[in-house]
Amino acid sequence: MTTVKNIYDYINSFAPFDLQEEWDNSGFLIGDFRKEVKTVVLSLDATKGAARFAESVNADLLLTHHPVIFKGIHNIKKDSAVYTLVNNDIAVICAHTSFDRAIGGINDNLCKILGLKNVQHIDDTFIVTAQLDNEMSIDDFAQFVSETLGTNGIRYTDTEKTIKTVAVGGGACSEYIDTAMKISDCFLTGDLKYHEMLDAAEQGYAVISSGHFESENKPFLMLKEKLEKLFTDVNFIIAPTENPVLTV
């Protein structure tokens, strides 16, 4: 019999929850550690839609990357995700910043999706470096990233520099742009502001802002394969959610 705690302990074994950032709220957030788990729903975000889907398939556990509870809750309304999950006895585990930087976590998986090799974790950061098999122009690499991650639009800086070494940081890693510029030909991340990209462009440096959802969704859901190999008595289902922030 698999319990909520069994799944928690497995994730904790390679992405320790106590290594999460101080501002984060990863870990076991809703439910009973001892609850038997037969069906798990995975979703990048603990949205109302994900909660309703978990309810519809009689899930015992919702496993997400972004926490369902980030800050203090002042009320719990009937149409909220938290209400739906608690009311249907669905436990919740969220693996956020500890999974971001873990071996086999978001960045490693993002590199695997993009076919990047020789991944190196950079100490005290949320970024890694990796290598392209062959050098590419920024235009070609940005196009490749867009097609591979399934984005509807991608933002990047124009530069004549060819790309071989890539610094990768899924999600929001803009605070590491200076480090990335020193150790790579291009910084690929999810969210970058205009002025951050402008500063990089002024220095002739390549950055790609691929979208927060796009840079983390597939990499997080790759956790499903690992879980299925270990917990053979559990049905793991991916919630049918799409990026609610549209780009045309």
Side-chain angles (χ1 to χ4, degrees), residues 1 3 9 12 108 125 141 179 188 192 205 245:
M1 180 183 80
T3 66
D9 287 343
N12 191 55
D108 284 9
T125 76
F141 184 51
T179 299
L188 168 63
L192 286 173
Y205 181 69
V245 181

Side-chain angles (χ1 to χ4, degrees), residues 97-159:
T97 53
S98 57
F99 188 70
D100 279 329
R101 69 199 320 169
I103 302 295
I106 289 291
N107 290 333
D108 284 9
N109 289 346
L110 183 53
C111 289
K112 184 179 293 185
I113 290 169
L114 294 170
L116 300 175
K117 308 293 177 56
N118 302 321
V119 178
Q120 300 292 323
H121 286 247
I122 309 304
D123 291 342
D124 300 321
T125 76
F126 280 87
I127 65 174
V128 302
T129 59
Q131 306 287 321
L132 284 164
D133 284 333
N134 300 295
E135 290 186 349
M136 301 176 70
S137 69
I138 183 60
D139 293 328
D140 288 344
F141 184 51
Q143 183 68 34
F144 169 72
V145 170
S146 180
E147 292 174 353
T148 304
L149 299 185
T151 65
N152 292 319
I154 199 165
R155 298 161 59 235
Y156 66 98
T157 58
D158 186 21
T159 176

Side-chain angles (χ1 to χ4, degrees), residues 52-127:
R52 287 193 293 267
F53 178 76
E55 176 188 6
S56 73
V57 298
N58 297 314
D60 305 293
L61 172 66
L62 175 64
L63 176 58
T64 70
H65 183 50
H66 297 131
V68 65
I69 302 170
F70 232 137
K71 299 179 180 179
I73 294 180
H74 300 286
N75 55 64
I76 301 176
K77 297 182 179 179
K78 190 172 183 178
D79 66 342
S80 69
V82 172
Y83 181 94
T84 299
L85 294 163
V86 172
N87 204 44
N88 289 278
D89 192 25
I90 301 171
V92 178
I93 295 173
C94 302
H96 190 207
T97 53
S98 57
F99 188 70
D100 279 329
R101 69 199 320 169
I103 302 295
I106 289 291
N107 290 333
D108 284 9
N109 289 346
L110 183 53
C111 289
K112 184 179 293 185
I113 290 169
L114 294 170
L116 300 175
K117 308 293 177 56
N118 302 321
V119 178
Q120 300 292 323
H121 286 247
I122 309 304
D123 291 342
D124 300 321
T125 76
F126 280 87
I127 65 174

